[in-house]
């Protein structure tokens, strides 16, 4: 399978990112907890140098807890502040305020030494498409937060959301482009649904996922779909089709439909909490 990304989008996203970087002190980077490596773009380390950095393992509810913890340790060991997040849960956002404050401690201290008091830290959320940036911003900001800027008669420009006295958040997230040079990254992105399925061969993708799940989570598919195991992923796909009554008109097995069903079950957590990348592979 070959994955492509459109250079036009990429260039525009990068330019926007560079412009916005000039305005901020803190980068809040969202990664997908199921694939924390593939859902990062390492260019962010270069773009965000000299900025305070926070990595959020988003969709932590869909990934296995022990691996969430292992990834948190991994990123901490690289010098990042890290937190596990389920952005759809508004009530899980309280600890984020604390860690944002911690991430900005140095900057606030630097300002204080220069005699600059009460200048809010400015932050931007960044991440690849579909990682949950908008969901996170909505949960974090809630309804109560007043927007600043772009008021009539007031400074024109970016929209900032005041989280509290100390922190303002840019209301539009920075889009990072997935790094497709490595085909494995493309595959991982396709598994989690961060790529249009129309451009993919669904059965091939499902077969790859069956192989990976069989390797790291043996028994999960067998239990979920009530089937006998088989080392051949395509045989497994056929068995899923059988078990889920995916049939074409002539009663032939509809493996295409089974593939869609499997991918959908995985993406929505119906196969349980599954992590597809592990820190020891780095
Ligand atoms: P983006 O701005 O980075 O492109 O991502 P966005 O917030 O649009 O989120 C993409 C999808 O991921 C949404 O689902 C959203 O609900 C889901 N999502 C975001 N954060 C989390 C999380 O922490 N856990 C889980 N389980 N899901 C999360 P969708 O199906 O596209 O939309 P909807 O059905 O929620 O409306």
């Amino acid at each position: 399978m070959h994955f492509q990304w459109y250079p036009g989008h990429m260039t525009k996203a990068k330019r926007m990112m560079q412009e916005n970087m000039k305005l901020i002190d803190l980068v809040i980077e969202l990664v997908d907890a199921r694939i924390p490596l593939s859902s990062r773009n390492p260019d962010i380390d270069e773009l965000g140098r000299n900025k305070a950095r926070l990595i959020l393992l988003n969709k932590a509810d869909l990934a296995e807890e022990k691996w969430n913890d292992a990834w948190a340790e991994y990123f901490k060991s690289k010098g990042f502040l890290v937190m596990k997040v389920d952005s759809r849960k508004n009530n899980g956002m309280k600890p984020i305020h604390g860690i944002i404050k911690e991430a900005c401690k140095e900057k606030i201290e630097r300002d204080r030494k220069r005699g600059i008091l009460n200048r809010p830290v400015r932050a931007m959320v960044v991440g690849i498409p579909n990682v949950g940036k908008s969901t996170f911003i909505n949960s974090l900001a809630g309804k109560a937060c007043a927007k600043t800027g772009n008021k009539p008669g007031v400074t024109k420009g970016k929209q900032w959301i005041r989280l509290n006295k100390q922190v303002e958040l840019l209301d539009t997230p920075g889009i990072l482009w997935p790094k497709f040079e490595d085909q494995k990254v493309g595959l991982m992105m396709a598994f989690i649904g961060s790529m249009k399925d129309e451009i993919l061969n669904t059965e091939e993708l499902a077969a790859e996922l069956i192989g990976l799940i069989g390797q790291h989570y043996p028994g999960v598919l067998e239990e979920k779909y009530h089937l006998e195991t088989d080392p051949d992923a395509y045989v497994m796909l056929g068995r899923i089709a059988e078990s889920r009554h995916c049939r074409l008109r002539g009663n032939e097995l509809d493996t295409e439909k089974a593939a869609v069903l499997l991918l959908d079950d995985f993406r929505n957590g119906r196969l349980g909490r599954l992590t597809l990348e592990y820190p020891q592979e780095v």
Side-chain angles (χ1 to χ4, degrees):
M1 218 177 305
H2 195 77
F3 301 99
Q4 281 187 329
W5 187 248
Y6 310 107
H9 291 177
M10 205 163 83
T11 320
K12 192 167 170 234
K14 194 165 185 171
R15 207 171 43 235
M16 284 282 288
M17 177 78 73
Q18 275 163 337
E19 274 172 28
N20 287 333
M21 274 295 168
K22 292 181 200 150
L23 308 173
I24 59 151
D25 310 294
L26 168 68
V27 179
I28 302 175
E29 180 187 356
L30 265 67
V31 300
D32 190 303
R34 294 165 295 177
I35 53 164
L37 275 189
S38 293
S39 57
R40 284 198 86 207
N41 182 314
D43 290 352
I44 189 66
D45 291 336
E46 173 63 19
L47 284 165
R49 70 182 188 282
N50 306 327
K51 308 285 175 188
R53 300 288 303 277
L54 170 59
I55 289 188
L56 300 180
L57 293 164
N58 195 40
K59 308 198 186 184
D61 54 302
L62 297 176
E64 202 181 353
E65 194 60 8
K66 79 167 184 192
W67 292 117
N68 288 343
D69 291 335
W71 277 113
E73 282 311 311
Y74 169 84
F75 286 119
K76 273 182 203 160
S77 76
K78 300 276 169 205
F80 296 100
L81 282 164
V82 195
M83 191 170 255
K84 303 177 277 186
V85 186
D86 172 358
S87 286
R88 290 173 318 165
K89 286 213 170 88
N90 295 41
N91 56 8
M93 289 294 135
K94 247 192 171 160
I96 303 277
H97 287 277
I99 201 161
I100 289 179
K101 213 167 144 186
E102 196 184 330
C104 298
K105 232 168 39 196
E106 274 181 32
K107 142 100 182 135
I108 292 168
E109 184 56 22
R110 251 194 339 263
D111 275 359
R112 199 185 60 79
K113 279 189 183 146
R114 286 198 211 133
I116 306 166
L117 294 177
N118 302 326
R119 184 167 74 185
V121 165
R122 291 192 147 178
M124 173 167 66
V125 172
V126 307
I128 60 164
N130 216 36
V131 72
K133 298 179 294 300
S134 310
T135 312
F136 172 74
I137 291 175
N138 287 339
S139 289
L140 184 69
K143 287 195 188 95
C145 294
K147 286 198 174 179
T148 62
N150 265 6
K151 291 171 198 146
V154 186
T155 38
K156 272 197 178 166
K158 305 280 170 189
Q159 290 271 352
W160 297 91
I161 305 165
R162 179 158 296 186
L163 294 181
N164 51 47
K165 271 188 196 153
Q166 285 161 329
V167 186
E168 290 182 354
L169 188 69
L170 190 60
D171 82 336
T172 38
I175 300 168
L176 283 172
W177 46 101
K179 209 165 176 74
F180 282 147
E181 289 99 79
D182 179 351
Q183 289 293 296
K184 181 197 157 232
V185 172
L187 201 55
M188 292 293 172
M189 297 280 299
F191 288 153
I192 64 160
S194 270
M195 229 184 294
K196 284 195 178 71
D197 279 346
E198 301 90 79
I199 62 165
L200 304 166
N201 179 331
T202 320
E203 285 173 75
E204 214 178 312
L205 190 62
E208 295 275 3
L209 184 61
I210 289 170
L212 205 57
I213 293 176
Q215 190 184 338
H216 295 289
Y217 296 98
V220 161
L221 296 175
E222 291 78 355
E223 192 177 323
K224 169 78 181 170
Y225 300 111
H226 310 289
L227 42 89
E228 290 279 312
T229 196
D230 192 282
D232 186 323
Y234 285 93
V235 173
M236 288 290 275
L237 190 58
R239 288 187 181 165
I240 294 172
E242 217 168 352
S243 144
R244 285 295 146 112
H245 311 291
C246 304
R247 299 265 172 194
L248 294 164
R249 279 223 174 135
N251 211 30
E252 209 179 309
L253 286 176
D254 188 349
T255 44
E256 169 87 33
K257 192 170 169 190
V260 172
L261 191 140
L262 169 74
L263 289 166
D264 206 47
D265 281 346
F266 167 72
R267 289 169 187 167
N268 291 303
R270 286 191 292 268
L271 299 178
R273 299 173 67 172
L274 306 183
T275 302
L276 299 182
E277 284 181 337
Y278 315 93
Q280 69 266 27
E281 290 172 354
V282 183

